[in-house]
Amino acid sequence: MNIELEDYNPNWPNIYLIEKEKLQDILGRDLMSIHHIGSTAIPNIKAKPIIDILCVVKNIEGIERYHSAKQNLGYEGLGENGISSRRFFLKRNKNTQKRTHHVHIFDQRAQGQIERHLDFRDYLRENPKEARNYEALKEKLALWYPENRDKYTDGKEEFIREIERKGKLYFK
């Protein structure tokens, strides 16, 4: 799978809102909050055209009962996928099989995980220069590792941790 970055698409927030409604309908009263995260939630920077959505639920253990409803929306469940107290789902375009959405569902007690995602997004929204630095890093990594998602992701790790640290301080 090639790493493909696209210019910021002003329609990404609308795509999020459409999916948000669908997820709210499925998760109902178990859903405590829902957020657009990731690079598509940061105005004016390039991103992989995948809408990342963070859902906070009352109890992660109850999420399995919604599995068939999420499948009907086209989501594939991947379990924790490397982050404890999270359930990860991805959705693909039916024709191209390219990823279109990632849904990260966290238990309300995973406050540290939830806050780090929101702090990262909010800090870059508030600091356009840092957002541009992030965009430049992603462009460089996409050139270096166009077909290696793991190396692309690993290459962003240090920058992301630094922005999460700054965000945590900034919003306290």
Side-chain angles (χ1 to χ4, degrees):
M1 171 190 328
N2 284 346
I3 305 297
E4 298 175 12
L5 299 177
E6 294 183 7
D7 288 334
Y8 179 76
N9 181 340
N11 199 37
W12 285 336
N14 295 327
I15 295 169
Y16 157 73
L17 290 173
I18 291 166
E19 206 67 18
K20 174 184 176 181
E21 285 185 27
K22 294 174 186 177
L23 292 167
Q24 285 173 319
D25 287 346
I26 289 173
L27 297 172
R29 290 185 214 171
D30 287 327
L31 182 67
M32 298 180 69
S33 63
I34 188 166
H35 308 273
H36 185 189
I37 61 169
S39 294
T40 61
I42 303 163
N44 303 314
I45 69 166
K46 290 183 179 181
K48 293 186 310 252
I50 301 169
I51 306 300
D52 280 284
I53 301 171
L54 184 148
C55 299
V56 180
V57 295
K58 293 176 184 174
N59 185 340
I60 199 72
E61 300 309 320
I63 290 308
E64 277 65 32
R65 72 175 167 267
Y66 301 111
H67 190 69
S68 64
K70 287 190 294 278
Q71 279 184 320
N72 290 339
L73 281 181
Y75 282 98
E76 173 186 344
L78 299 177
E80 288 184 338
N81 201 42
I83 300 177
S84 63
S85 68
R86 172 185 81 163
R87 299 298 180 271
F88 180 72
F89 299 85
L90 65 86
K91 186 176 190 177
R92 298 176 193 274
N93 178 296
K94 291 176 186 173
N95 297 321
T96 65
Q97 290 304 302
K98 290 183 178 181
R99 295 177 185 208
T100 60
H101 298 77
H102 290 164
V103 175
H104 313 257
I105 301 178
F106 284 99
D107 188 289
Q108 66 177 332
R109 294 165 292 196
Q111 208 56 42
Q113 290 288 352
I114 297 163
E115 287 176 4
R116 78 178 184 85
H117 286 286
L118 298 178
D119 287 348
F120 178 81
R121 178 203 64 194
D122 294 345
Y123 186 82
L124 290 181
R125 283 178 171 175
E126 294 283 324
N127 296 277
K129 183 179 177 192
E130 292 277 30
R132 289 284 181 215
N133 290 339
Y134 184 49
E135 177 184 56
L137 173 63
K138 293 191 312 173
E139 288 179 311
K140 182 170 62 172
L141 292 167
L143 284 173
W144 288 351
Y145 310 112
E147 296 179 11
N148 191 325
R149 185 180 200 79
D150 291 336
K151 286 194 183 242
Y152 172 82
T153 301
D154 291 347
K156 297 185 305 179
E157 188 70 26
E158 185 178 327
F159 183 90
I160 289 170
R161 294 294 168 237
E162 179 62 15
I163 294 300
E164 288 172 353
R165 186 189 67 74
K166 287 179 179 181
K168 188 173 187 172
L169 295 171
Y170 188 83
F171 294 110
K172 291 292 175 187

